[in-house]
Amino acid sequence: MSTIKRDQINVGGLVTSFLSAGSPSAHPLVLLHDGAWGGSAEASWINVIPTLARRYRVIAPDLYGYGASSKMVQLDVAPYEFRLRQVAALLDALRLEDRPAHLVGNSFGGAMALRAATLPWFSWRVSTAVSISGTGGPYRTKEGLAALSHFDGSHADMLRVVRLLTGHFPAIDDHVELRLRDACNPGHYRAVAAAGLATPFEGAPKRHDDYPQSLRTVRTPLALVSGRQDNLVEPDWAHRIAEHAPSCKVYEIDARHSPNINDPETTAALLLTILGELESGAATQDRTAPGTSR
């Protein structure tokens, strides 16, 4: 079994802590965690990584504001963008700037993976992108947004949050404790809460966003994993996104929002299948579209 290591880089005084496993010569696979209270690479992926590391070089960062990474937030750009720049800096530090990686994310991390494929400055780094329950922004339920927007710091309230993500599962108490460890860091709380901070300014212009229409020009193979019991997103979210993406596959499974947490073995096996199919599709696309470039 591949050993999971924790390391960190420091870029401009900002720390990115990350987990890694697998052969350095294997195809890189970046795992992006959810954005709920107490989220981290460990909380989302620790039990998925060993299976994936048999085939891939797995890299799982704590995104800014989470885990052991710097507790910062940039409020003048989309929340995906400055964290994708964090991921880009990490890949460069690992000397992977010339090796496009698979991106796999859950919830907010899945949204990041989809957004990455639409951004010219990042998309050339992406060989495939897989989103588990991450819509890229739209199609989230109002009830789900409201329920995940607050956290009072207690064990009982973290249990409530985790149940929204996973329902009940045998190791739920351990997972709650893991999330509490990071969620009770004041810097984490402030960084996560900042995005929802109300302002007194009415009628301020909103940032233009052409997503998901921007997926129409994306050639990167995409996959969307939708849980049939997921009530944090609209039931047809994956198919609505796939309408805009010419190279997108939808996988519907019997799960809630974060099967990588409550059923990591099944999720890891599914991801190996999906990535294998996307790799085959990408190879076919390369043969039929010579001369394309990043």
Side-chain angles (χ1 to χ4, degrees):
M1 179 178 294
S2 179
T3 300
I4 300 175
K5 299 182 294 183
R6 180 171 286 279
D7 207 338
Q8 69 177 40
I9 63 165
N10 188 314
V11 177
L14 296 175
V15 172
T16 293
S17 181
F18 64 98
L19 303 176
S20 64
S23 170
S25 63
H27 192 115
L29 166 59
V30 177
L31 297 175
L32 303 171
H33 62 75
D34 66 67
W37 304 100
S40 67
E42 184 177 358
S44 283
W45 303 112
I46 192 65
N47 294 317
V48 176
I49 289 173
T51 298
L52 298 181
R54 297 171 190 164
R55 185 188 298 177
Y56 299 105
R57 178 181 182 180
V58 179
I59 302 156
D62 289 341
L63 301 172
Y64 285 148
Y66 294 85
S69 290
S70 289
K71 304 302 183 289
M72 62 85 70
V73 61
Q74 187 175 351
L75 298 175
D76 57 343
V77 297
Y80 316 103
E81 186 168 335
F82 73 91
R83 292 183 173 104
L84 284 170
R85 293 194 183 279
Q86 174 195 11
V87 173
L90 173 58
L91 294 175
D92 288 350
L94 296 176
R95 299 184 177 179
L96 293 171
E97 62 270 20
D98 293 325
R99 296 191 65 189
H102 296 305
L103 262 60
V104 175
N106 170 232
S107 193
F108 179 80
M112 279 182 62
L114 294 177
R115 292 286 186 151
T118 71
L119 298 172
W121 61 267
F122 196 100
S123 59
W124 58 267
R125 297 177 180 271
V126 186
S127 56
T128 69
V130 182
S131 173
I132 303 172
S133 309
T135 69
Y139 314 131
R140 294 175 291 174
T141 64
K142 292 181 180 179
E143 297 79 8
L145 286 169
L148 290 175
S149 66
H150 58 90
F151 169 60
D152 69 10
S154 69
H155 183 280
D157 203 38
M158 181 57 78
L159 179 60
R160 175 190 64 82
V161 170
V162 174
R163 282 176 172 162
L164 289 170
L165 300 177
T166 66
H168 184 77
F169 65 104
I172 192 169
D173 289 335
D174 291 338
H175 188 76
V176 167
E177 292 297 332
L178 174 60
R179 282 189 177 259
L180 276 174
R181 181 192 69 190
D182 293 322
C184 293
N185 180 313
H188 167 75
Y189 185 91
R190 294 187 181 105
V192 176
L197 182 66
T199 69
F201 309 111
E202 296 183 3
K206 294 184 178 180
R207 186 184 299 112
H208 174 71
D209 186 7
D210 60 356
Y211 179 90
Q213 289 79 12
S214 55
L215 290 169
R216 294 189 183 280
T217 59
V218 170
R219 293 184 56 83
T220 304
L222 308 177
L224 310 175
V225 180
S226 175
R228 296 188 184 96
Q229 288 81 49
D230 185 357
N231 56 12
L232 299 180
V233 292
E234 297 176 9
D236 59 348
W237 72 271
H239 293 285
R240 293 172 72 179
I241 289 177
E243 290 175 357
H244 298 281
S247 56
C248 182
K249 294 185 176 183
V250 174
Y251 298 79
E252 292 188 341
I253 62 174
D254 289 319
R256 298 191 67 159
H257 196 71
S258 299
N260 46 297
I261 294 172
N262 63 290
D263 194 359
E265 295 83 4
T266 301
T267 302
L270 175 63
L271 287 174
L272 289 178
T273 297
I274 291 173
L275 291 171
E277 292 177 356
L278 293 183
E279 287 169 345
S280 298
T284 300
Q285 186 180 71
D286 288 343
R287 289 197 296 270
T288 57
T292 58
S293 66
R294 69 190 186 196

